[in-house]
């Protein structure tokens, strides 16, 4: 890949999505952007870059951003955050939110929908305790393509075998040809919306629990801080934030601090999640 | 080290499963069918079984039901691993006491994911 092409694409991706691409990851550009070039009937990456450079073709730029920011995920990824959600955070909120009887959850980079749907299945299993409560799951992603996939609730055999217990497959999925269709009742529990973490999320409202896992790793320090500071402003003092296993707030911002003994869970710097 | 009994009439599948499970630090014992597997369990009960469905002599479901009757047979974690990929078979296996179910083809990631879910890893 030509140096000027790498620079063009890395600058574009940083600006559009916050994604920071080091030169040792240039192979990712080649593997992920060749299908984009083919889609637009271009011969290869050099021609793709020329279209970006000269024509500033928005459709091409949008496809490039989508291709580079689409990340794999799985149901109940890492297990523990979901155990904490079910066993500690929700019971805690059921006590604290007695007056409003409302809980809001945000999956900030929901990709194919496995994370918000995992939460929805947990909540469905707890429905007796949640009777009379309004629990909202908002799921956002920068990629419109991934949001469409997430909304469809249609998964491959490979996808339903990664993280999803067989009992939940039996309970909440139906076989549809060679795919597996998630039950409409679970799908309707999640609201999907396109959202770029580079923007201010104020319009989304306040959230008691935020999942923002395995996204910050792609950002530089300044962007991480900006995203975390924005998220902190959208949470009450007892709000909870989940980050991915390889992510931390330490050395990035004081707007969050880790919850002792709960790996991956953070609370506001001036707050207390209370578990 | 936990022992996993791999039951499959395909030598290739047993070989692939052995390689994956050994990398996950399991001691692997093999059986070609349900009857051989039952004999192996009578000799020494494994912690878990990776179990095909369609096999000569005794199929996977029949094996699981017989194995469950043996002393400590209830404690064994059974993960089906089969080409029977339809909901009816999955429901039948789960209702009969299977702990997890892998639809072939599988890879190391799926085995690791399923074994983690049932607490073997």
């Amino acid at each position: 890949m030509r140096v000027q092409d790498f620079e063009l694409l890395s600058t574009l991706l940083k600006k559009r999505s916050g994604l920071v691409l080091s030169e040792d990851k240039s192979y990712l550009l080649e593997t992920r952007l060749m299908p984009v070039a083919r889609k637009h009937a271009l011969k290869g990456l050099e021609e793709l870059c020329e279209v970006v450079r000269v024509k500033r073709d928005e459709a091409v730029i949008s496809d490039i951003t989508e291709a580079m920011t689409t990340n794999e995920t799985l149901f109940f990824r890492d297990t523990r955050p979901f155990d904490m959600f079910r066993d500690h955070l929700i019971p805690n909120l059921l006590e604290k939110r007695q007056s409003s009887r409302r809980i809001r959850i945000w999956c900030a980079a929901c990709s194919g929908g496995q994370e918000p749907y995992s939460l929805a299945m947990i909540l469905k299993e707890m429905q007796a305790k949640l009777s009379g409560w309004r629990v909202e799951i908002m799921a956002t992603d920068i990629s419109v393509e991934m949001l469409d996939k997430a909304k469809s609730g249609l998964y491959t055999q490979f996808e339903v075998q990664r993280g999803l217990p067989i009992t939940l497959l039996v309970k909440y999925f139906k076989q549809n040809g060679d795919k597996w269709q998630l039950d409409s009742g679970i799908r309707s529990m999640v609201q999907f919306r396109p959202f770029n973490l580079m923007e201010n999320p104020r319009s989304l409202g306040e959230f008691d629990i935020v999942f923002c896992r395995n996204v910050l790793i792609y950002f530089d320090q300044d962007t991480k801080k900006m995203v975390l500071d924005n998220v902190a402003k959208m949470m009450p003092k007892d709000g909870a934030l989940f980050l991915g296993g390889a992510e931390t707030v330490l050395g990035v911002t004081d707007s969050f601090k880790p919850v002792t003994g709960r790996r991956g869970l953070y609370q506001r710097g001036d707050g207390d999640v209370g578990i | 080290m936990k022992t996993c009994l791999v039951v499959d009439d395909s030598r290739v599948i047993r070989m692939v499963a052995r390689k994956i499970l050994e990398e996950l630090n399991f001691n692997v014992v093999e059986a070609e069918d349900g009857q051989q597997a039952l004999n192996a369990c009578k000799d020494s009960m494994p912690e878990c079984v990776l179990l095909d469905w369609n096999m000569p002599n005794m199929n996977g479901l029949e094996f699981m039901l017989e194995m469950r009757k043996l002393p400590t047979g209830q404690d064994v974690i059974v993960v089906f691993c089969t080409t029977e990929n339809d909901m009816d078979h999955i429901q039948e296996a789960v209702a009969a006491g299977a702990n997890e179910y892998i639809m072939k083809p599988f890879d190391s990631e799926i085995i690791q994911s399923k074994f983690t879910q049932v607490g073997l890893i």
Side-chain angles (χ1 to χ4, degrees):
Chain A
M1 165 171 255
R2 297 184 307 188
V3 176
Q4 65 267 37
D5 290 345
F6 176 80
E7 278 170 9
L8 173 82
L9 292 169
S10 58
T11 307
L12 173 83
L13 288 163
K14 169 78 169 57
K15 197 173 156 197
R16 288 285 178 128
S17 65
L19 179 73
V20 176
L21 215 57
S22 52
E23 277 188 54
D24 60 325
K25 295 275 166 58
S26 64
Y27 69 93
L28 271 179
L29 289 169
E30 290 174 24
T31 52
R32 292 197 179 188
L33 296 186
M34 277 311 287
V36 177
R38 276 196 292 273
K39 181 181 165 186
H40 292 274
L42 303 166
K43 279 181 198 146
L45 287 196
E46 286 185 17
E47 215 170 289
L48 185 74
C49 289
E50 283 311 306
V51 169
V52 173
R53 197 175 281 121
V54 180
K55 294 188 186 163
R56 307 297 300 171
D57 186 326
E58 193 51 44
V60 172
I61 291 171
S62 171
D63 283 350
I64 289 172
T65 312
E66 290 227 351
M68 292 308 297
T69 53
T70 297
N71 292 299
E72 264 196 286
T73 187
L74 54 152
F75 288 99
F76 297 94
R77 183 174 186 175
D78 303 331
T79 320
R80 256 189 243 169
F82 297 95
D83 293 342
M84 279 189 253
F85 173 81
R86 182 192 56 231
D87 299 336
H88 301 286
L89 292 174
I90 292 294
N92 185 42
L93 288 170
L94 288 177
E95 275 181 31
K96 287 186 180 166
R97 302 284 188 270
Q98 275 294 337
S99 56
S100 66
R101 296 175 86 80
R102 187 179 183 205
I103 297 170
R104 295 194 80 225
I105 301 151
W106 179 27
C107 292
C110 70
S111 191
Q114 285 93 331
E115 184 178 79
Y117 286 143
S118 299
L119 298 174
M121 283 185 269
I122 288 174
L123 293 170
K124 189 77 177 171
E125 296 284 304
M126 300 176 82
Q127 63 181 340
K129 288 180 187 163
L130 292 166
S131 170
W133 284 71
R134 190 172 159 203
V135 185
E136 290 171 53
I137 305 172
M138 168 81 74
T140 62
D141 201 276
I142 189 175
S143 164
V144 176
E145 199 180 314
M146 286 314 277
L147 284 170
D148 285 343
K149 175 186 162 46
K151 276 185 222 169
S152 76
L154 207 53
Y155 295 95
T156 63
Q157 182 172 298
F158 181 70
E159 287 168 326
V160 296
Q161 297 211 84
R162 295 171 77 213
L164 183 70
I166 199 70
T167 46
L168 295 182
L169 179 83
V170 168
K171 205 164 174 181
Y172 296 120
F173 286 79
K174 280 203 177 88
Q175 213 161 5
N176 183 352
D178 59 350
K179 296 271 181 79
W180 292 84
Q181 175 72 64
L182 180 60
D183 174 65
S184 59
I186 298 293
R187 276 156 56 205
S188 67
M189 293 168 71
V190 182
Q191 236 185 303
F192 289 98
R193 225 172 118 163
F195 181 73
N196 185 345
L197 283 167
M198 301 297 284
E199 295 163 20
N200 193 319
R202 209 179 304 139
S203 64
L204 301 175
E206 195 176 75
F207 294 97
D208 302 292
I209 303 170
V210 176
F211 285 75
C212 185
R213 304 191 304 147
N214 309 302
V215 193
L216 297 180
I217 40 171
Y218 300 106
F219 297 160
D220 63 19
Q221 288 291 98
D222 291 344
T223 311
K224 282 180 193 172
K225 180 174 165 39
M226 181 202 72
V227 171
L228 288 168
D229 291 350
N230 278 339
V231 172
K233 286 177 199 151
M234 304 166 66
M235 291 168 65
K237 280 199 170 185
D238 59 357
L241 167 71
F242 283 103
L243 297 181
E247 296 163 329
T248 182
V249 300
L250 299 173
V252 181
T253 178
D254 295 329
S255 58
F256 284 102
K257 61 188 178 192
V259 178
T260 311
R262 310 271 185 205
R263 195 156 175 243
L265 181 62
Y266 298 83
Q267 55 201 341
R268 265 178 49 169
D270 59 350
D272 182 1
V273 73
I275 63 163
Chain B
M1 189 184 271
K2 287 174 180 154
T3 296
C4 183
L5 173 61
V6 175
V7 192
D8 201 302
D9 56 345
S10 158
R11 196 176 60 83
V12 175
I13 294 286
R14 292 199 307 273
M15 196 174 71
V16 172
R18 172 185 282 278
K19 190 169 181 298
I20 293 170
L21 289 164
E22 284 180 346
E23 276 170 16
L24 293 171
N25 212 22
F26 282 87
N27 173 43
V28 175
V29 178
E30 294 180 25
E32 290 175 20
D33 58 50
Q35 189 56 58
Q36 246 188 42
L38 199 59
N39 294 340
C41 288
K42 284 173 186 166
D43 281 348
S44 174
M45 195 61 88
E47 274 83 12
C48 55
V49 182
L50 188 70
L51 182 62
D52 189 17
W53 192 303
N54 284 314
M55 292 175 291
N57 300 323
M58 183 187 282
N59 74 31
L61 193 70
E62 290 162 348
F63 156 76
M64 182 176 71
L65 295 171
E66 288 304 313
M67 187 270 298
R68 292 289 193 214
K69 293 177 193 163
L70 298 174
T72 72
Q74 288 291 341
D75 304 335
V76 178
I77 291 173
V78 175
V79 179
F80 265 87
C81 184
T82 169
T83 49
E84 303 302 328
N85 292 352
D86 58 282
M87 189 59 108
D88 289 345
H89 276 92
I90 297 172
Q91 281 174 329
E92 190 180 356
V94 171
N99 300 82
E100 260 301 338
Y101 200 101
I102 293 171
M103 296 175 263
K104 288 176 182 171
F106 62 93
D107 61 9
S108 60
E109 205 180 327
I110 288 173
I111 290 206
Q112 189 167 358
S113 167
K114 292 287 184 184
F115 274 50
T116 304
Q117 276 167 43
V118 292
L120 285 166
I121 297 174

